[in-house]
Amino acid sequence: MARAAGVGVRRLQEEFRRRLGTGPATALREVRLARAHRVLVEDGHAPVSDVAYACGFGHLGRFAHDYRDRYGELPSETARRRRG
């Protein structure tokens, strides 16, 4: 991200913290979680693993953990509620 923005890593981290109150990795994870949540809510038939990988998560256990921390339920519960 720093290279794409044309700044150093430290500068990128400082600007994220100043403007968003968090670091770039945390902000990116939140964007990915929000995208996964939206997909699971809108399309309960999509396999959770496909959604996780499509949203940039490479470790399904970590995805499920982060998702539950953020939304209070497992991604499979969100998808199941949509199906039901």
Side-chain angles (χ1 to χ4, degrees):
M1 281 200 288
R3 188 178 316 138
V7 298
V9 172
R10 185 71 185 139
R11 176 67 187 268
L12 181 73
Q13 292 170 336
E14 289 170 352
E15 287 300 315
F16 261 82
R17 291 207 188 286
R18 187 173 72 80
R19 294 171 187 250
L20 302 175
T22 189
T26 302
L28 180 58
R29 183 176 57 245
E30 287 298 318
V31 168
R32 289 175 173 171
L33 284 169
R35 181 175 172 219
H37 180 71
R38 187 172 51 253
V39 171
L40 291 169
V41 167
E42 293 173 359
D43 181 6
H45 297 290
V48 171
S49 59
D50 290 355
V51 172
Y53 291 133
C55 292
F57 291 94
H59 189 283
L60 296 178
R62 189 80 202 144
F63 166 67
H65 178 271
D66 290 347
Y67 188 96
R68 184 170 54 194
D69 281 354
R70 177 71 173 87
Y71 295 103
E73 65 182 6
L74 292 170
S76 58
E77 294 170 326
T78 301
R80 190 174 21 249
R81 193 175 59 254
R82 173 67 171 123
R83 286 182 208 129

